Amino acid sequence: MPAAHIVDVMTVSGARWERLVAMSATGTLGASGLPLIRLAARMGFAADAANRPVQGGLVLFGTAGKVRATVLIDDVPTRVSAGVETMPASWRSRFSPCEDMIDGVALLPDGAQAAMIDLPLGVNAPRAAVAGAPERDTAHLLVRAGRAQLEAVRIAAVRDLRPLDEVPGLAVLPSAALPRGRQRMLLEFGGQGDVVAVDEVVGLAPQGRIERVGSLRFLATPTGRYRLLEPGGTQPARAVTKRVLVTAPEDAGRSALRDLVRSMGHEVSLADDPRAARLAGGRFDVILFDLDAYEDVRAGGVEATDGAQRIGLAAGALPAAPRGFARVVPAGDAVALALALLRRA
């Protein structure tokens, strides 16, 4: 963060820190009337209850020594001199969901690079929408549920799913009609907690639009029309959004994976440094990791104590989940990935 307009920085902890956190929710620093924002919230990062900070910094912004705004930082800030360069346009997507706030790259004395935050004095203004951001909450699964016709399920409406043979007290007979690797699944929706059993999850539906015919709803796509399976009254008022980090070499495959996960309604960031599998878990709910590209992690796994769910991606015969990983799914299998993201850790 550039220091040109910083009047002062104070370290806060304990009860004072908690009071400032509460004030940041209302956007005002006590009776002063000064704008107060929490930088993590401004950048689009949800609060992490498992790694809740107990101290941080209060930064006073202004000009000519007059304070005009304040910012709360979830860490103790330090001052350092650095050279600043323009950030390449191709890097911007790596900083989702706060790419609109990144103004450049700072080159630190130890050789590390840091994103420079562009924080004007009007810090309490809403974060601008990013041009060209993909539409959220558009992905649907195609399923079979006792009918010859395929039906559609909105991914963001599903709260959890489990194979039927893992449900306690339920006996499931094997079926030779199911494709290899597919299982009967129990889908749990939000709202009233309705559940629906399906014989097979077939694949992802093409993007389309929702149409109503009387009391029924259909997903109309260029390749077909599918009845929506989830009960209309049970859709959650707000879909659960996960923070997902995709760690893979920069190529078309990684971009396609990013777009797929975003279409499911999740926040997505990108990384190509394998150390992200170990170090970035505190900021993300899920880390998707290319095990084929990083052999060291594939062989040794990672040591991490954060709450992030790590899912490996691998081509060919799937290896056992490395240390620190919840599971491994086939690279390029959109259905397997969607199911892995839906399953609770």
Side-chain angles (χ1 to χ4, degrees):
M1 184 181 297
H5 295 295
I6 294 178
V7 176
D8 197 5
V9 178
M10 295 177 285
T11 299
V12 290
S13 59
R16 188 181 184 193
W17 165 257
E18 296 297 335
R19 286 197 300 271
L20 287 170
V21 169
M23 290 178 191
S24 68
T26 64
T28 305
L29 181 64
S32 70
L34 291 170
L36 171 65
I37 67 164
R38 192 172 181 176
L39 186 60
R42 174 69 170 80
M43 297 178 74
F45 301 128
D48 188 348
N51 297 286
R52 187 176 179 183
V54 296
Q55 65 176 356
L58 180 65
V59 181
L60 310 183
F61 282 88
T63 55
K66 182 176 178 61
V67 178
R68 300 183 182 275
T70 61
V71 174
L72 196 61
I73 300 176
D74 287 26
D75 201 351
V76 178
T78 59
R79 290 181 180 268
V80 62
S81 298
V84 179
E85 294 184 354
T86 301
M87 185 175 68
S90 61
W91 287 19
R92 192 157 295 278
S93 63
R94 303 182 183 187
F95 294 96
S96 175
C98 54
E99 56 264 51
D100 58 298
M101 292 183 63
I102 308 302
D103 193 43
V105 177
L107 306 179
L108 305 182
D110 62 359
Q113 296 178 328
M116 291 294 293
I117 298 175
D118 178 20
L119 199 65
L121 291 182
V123 293
N124 210 33
R127 191 158 61 92
V130 180
E135 184 182 356
R136 297 283 175 84
D137 193 20
T138 57
H140 290 74
L141 291 173
L142 294 179
V143 301
R144 295 191 190 277
R147 292 161 50 95
Q149 298 85 2
L150 293 177
E151 297 175 276
V153 175
R154 189 171 64 101
I155 291 178
V158 179
R159 187 169 65 182
D160 190 23
L161 85 168
R162 288 179 290 172
L164 279 178
D165 57 11
E166 294 182 8
V167 178
L170 185 63
V172 181
L173 297 176
S175 173
L178 284 179
R180 187 175 182 180
R182 300 294 193 219
Q183 294 176 293
R184 295 189 180 105
M185 308 295 292
L186 189 69
L187 307 183
E188 179 183 341
F189 296 95
Q192 301 302 314
D194 294 79
V195 295
V196 173
V198 300
D199 297 322
E200 178 190 358
V201 178
V202 177
L204 287 179
Q207 285 196 4
R209 66 182 185 278
I210 303 301
E211 296 180 348
R212 291 181 178 271
V213 180
S215 61
L216 300 179
R217 295 173 304 144
F218 294 86
L219 173 66
T221 75
T223 59
R225 196 160 171 263
Y226 310 97
R227 185 171 73 98
L228 285 184
L229 184 63
E230 76 258 21
T234 65
Q235 295 185 23
R238 183 175 182 180
V240 176
T241 298
K242 294 180 179 179
R243 300 165 299 167
V244 180
L245 176 67
V246 176
T247 306
E250 185 175 359
D251 58 16
R254 187 179 75 170
S255 298
L257 185 59
R258 174 199 61 200
D259 294 342
L260 171 64
V261 177
R262 278 183 173 173
S263 77
M264 298 177 191
H266 302 306
E267 300 279 0
V268 184
S269 298
L270 302 175
D272 53 18
D273 190 329
R275 291 176 297 179
R278 176 173 57 87
L279 301 175
R283 289 184 52 199
F284 298 93
D285 303 305
V286 179
I287 298 177
L288 301 179
F289 192 87
D290 187 342
L291 293 174
D292 295 329
Y294 307 109
E295 291 293 336
D296 290 347
V297 174
R298 179 175 180 141
V302 295
E303 185 71 42
T305 58
D306 54 71
Q309 181 184 18
R310 290 165 175 80
I311 299 174
L313 307 173
L318 297 184
R323 182 169 54 97
F325 281 74
R327 58 183 57 88
V328 179
V329 300
D333 189 332
V335 172
L337 177 60
L339 297 183
L341 288 172
L342 285 171
R343 295 203 67 179
R344 293 175 182 170

